[in-house]
Amino acid sequence: MFESTISRTRVALLALAATAALLAAGSVLAAPASAAPADGRPVCVTVLAPLKAGQEFSEVLSRRCGASEQAALAATREAGVTASVQIFTLIEHANYGGAYDHVYGGAWCDAAGYGINPGWYEWRLSSFLPDGGCYYTTLTNHSGASRRFNGDTPSLPSGFNDNAAKIRTTA
């Protein structure tokens, strides 16, 4: 019993030291969008078609998940779908933590942009990263309120955090 307590204490101290080292290096909150979530959740890649006149949501051409973005992209290619331009990353938790869905389009963003039904992220979206010329993102929550964001958003405000009925992203 005495050895077990010492072992658990040693493991806890090593884990604490490793966490402190990561924080000092600045790598915990500044993880790149292509990194796999630290909790081992799969990373997904969704490929959308650009919006057409009269559409509210872009057509989903593919959605594949893997242990990393590269694995999900490989599965997408194997399905015969080209993910040419990353336009958006949906992220489960604030400060870019939790599960990721890298959203790709067939072309760079323009004024029409892309309309996204958040699916699994509808009640989980807490941060996002626009890309591919998609500088403006409008979130609409379930009560119909909309808010426009410009650029990286590490933490959604009250009323929009874990409450995204639809997302529109444009140039």
Side-chain angles (χ1 to χ4, degrees), residues 51-147:
L51 277 175
K52 295 177 184 163
Q55 283 185 320
E56 185 175 16
F57 297 109
S58 297
E59 177 186 358
V60 177
L61 302 175
S62 173
R63 185 164 193 278
R64 301 285 189 270
C65 300
S68 67
E69 181 180 10
Q70 292 73 25
L73 280 168
T76 300
R77 283 190 298 277
E78 287 173 13
V81 177
T82 302
S84 52
V85 178
Q86 185 169 344
I87 57 169
F88 206 83
T89 301
L90 303 174
I91 306 169
E92 180 183 17
H93 298 307
N95 296 314
Y96 314 116
Y100 281 46
D101 189 351
H102 299 279
V103 180
Y104 284 76
W108 281 79
C109 255
D110 57 14
Y114 292 86
I116 303 164
N117 178 333
W120 186 84
Y121 289 89
E122 186 174 355
W123 298 105
R124 294 175 179 91
L125 184 68
S126 292
S127 57
F128 60 84
L129 296 164
D131 205 349
C134 295
Y135 302 111
Y136 305 105
T137 304
T138 302
L139 257 61
T140 303
N141 68 18
H142 287 91
S143 49
S146 292
R147 179 155 176 193

